[in-house]
Amino acid sequence: MSGSNYGKFAVLCAVWGLTWIAVKFGVTSLPPMLFAALRFVAAGTVFLGIAMWQGQSIRALAVDWCGLIIASLLMITLCYGPLFWGMTKIPSGTAAVLEMSLTPVCLFVFGVALRQETWSWAATIGLAVGSLGLYLLFVGEAQVSYDRGAWLGILAVCWAAASSALGSVLAKPLIARHGSAVVAGSTTFLGGLLLSAGAVICGENPSALALSNWTMGAFAGWLFLVIFGSLVGYRLYMQLLRDAGPSRAGMFAFVSPVIAVVVGALFAQETITVANVIGIMLMLLSAATCLCGPRSSEKATPRR
């Protein structure tokens, strides 16, 4: 990867490593799916406003309306809906292991299947090492009582990872044609609208978003998710998908949890065990292996 892409990757990992705390602040007082939907609709509106201010054509997306809707559904609606539902059935540590370890693996598999990536042993071994490291990072939390509800929760979280990965790979050609701001805005806005509809169908009450239910922590968390998690992080992710390929962009899943755990230890007095340290080392080794390995066989696309 180029120096600028390494910089983007570092910022993406730092920002998305802190979003877990922001989400936790929000869902303590607000319905989780509607909270997420409001974040994406707000971010999408700003994205599209910026794109129009910069003179980019949003009407040009009409020729790719079908692909855009599919990408929005997969990356936002069918990812965050099942993910939040699944997290009500299984411990958060288990959900983190499943979602974070499967995301880069699925990005690599779908990237190879759709000829956006070149298969290699180095990448395969790197993903396996990273997945093991992620498990060790959360060992002790990832204990599940495998009742019927837990199995459904596990399947939902696994689906969320696969859905997000497939949507990301399908979005890459759209980003190349229309630019990261337009595609980021369109997918977050459409996906957020569809997620809000899904939240209501699943029983969440929009009245729960009344101003009286917003604590200072929830509002601060929402602002962080909109500004940094979406407007900064999501656009950087789109650009990395286009310029570095799905599997390299997906390496954030092996670095962001490390940042989240370190921040938790520094500011929330959370304990880090020897197994956690070994896991962190394996995850960083995996990310370094994949980031510095051979690039995708696909030629770089024009930048916007």
Side-chain angles (χ1 to χ4, degrees):
M1 291 200 305
S2 66
S4 63
N5 282 334
Y6 281 118
K8 291 176 182 178
F9 181 80
V11 173
L12 174 65
C13 291
V15 168
W16 280 4
L18 296 173
T19 54
W20 294 92
I21 297 176
V23 170
K24 185 176 182 180
F25 284 153
V27 299
T28 54
S29 59
L30 299 168
M33 291 174 64
L34 285 173
F35 179 73
L38 186 61
R39 160 202 175 179
F40 288 120
V41 170
T45 301
V46 176
F47 266 133
L48 293 175
I50 292 173
M52 289 188 291
W53 180 69
Q54 292 176 339
Q56 298 183 37
S57 175
I58 296 177
R59 292 183 178 180
L61 284 170
V63 298
D64 289 314
W65 66 270
C66 184
L68 184 66
I69 291 175
I70 292 173
S72 302
L73 276 169
L74 290 171
M75 294 181 71
I76 306 296
T77 312
L78 297 179
C79 169
Y80 286 88
L83 177 62
F84 279 124
W85 183 86
M87 289 177 68
T88 66
K89 303 295 181 181
I90 58 177
S92 59
T94 302
V97 169
L98 290 172
E99 203 268 340
M100 286 294 191
S101 61
L102 283 176
T103 293
V105 172
C106 290
L107 279 168
F108 179 66
V109 170
F110 289 133
V112 171
L114 295 178
R115 299 183 179 181
Q116 294 183 11
E117 298 283 352
T118 301
W119 182 86
S120 70
W121 278 110
T124 304
I125 294 172
L127 290 170
V129 170
S131 299
L132 174 61
L134 189 63
Y135 170 77
L136 292 174
L137 182 67
F138 288 99
V139 71
E141 292 185 37
Q143 303 298 320
V144 183
S145 57
Y146 289 98
D147 56 17
R148 183 170 53 190
W151 278 111
L152 291 175
I154 289 171
L155 290 175
V157 173
C158 290
W159 164 264
S163 178
S164 174
L166 179 57
S168 297
V169 173
L170 293 177
K172 183 181 177 182
L174 299 176
I175 303 167
R177 287 196 290 272
H178 304 289
S180 58
V182 172
V183 176
S186 301
T187 53
T188 50
F189 184 78
L190 290 174
L193 287 179
L194 294 169
L195 181 59
S196 64
V200 173
I201 292 173
C202 291
E204 291 190 358
N205 190 347
S207 64
L209 292 176
L211 189 60
S212 58
N213 293 330
W214 287 76
T215 63
M216 286 297 294
F219 185 68
W222 182 80
L223 278 181
F224 182 89
L225 290 169
V226 171
I227 297 172
F228 295 100
S230 294
L231 296 179
V232 176
Y234 193 67
R235 185 172 183 181
L236 289 177
Y237 178 62
M238 291 283 188
Q239 292 174 353
L240 287 169
L241 279 174
R242 176 194 63 195
D243 298 332
S247 63
R248 288 186 174 185
M251 283 298 105
F252 79 85
F254 290 152
V255 181
S256 292
V258 175
I259 296 173
V261 169
V262 171
V263 169
L266 292 176
F267 298 102
Q269 291 76 49
E270 295 178 356
T271 303
I272 297 182
T273 66
V274 174
N276 298 154
V277 174
I278 296 173
I280 287 173
M281 294 173 64
L282 290 175
M283 290 163 68
L284 294 178
L285 175 63
S286 170
T289 300
C290 293
L291 290 172
C292 298
R295 195 184 187 280
S296 167
S297 61
E298 185 177 357
K299 294 182 180 180
T301 52
R303 295 172 180 266
R304 287 190 186 180

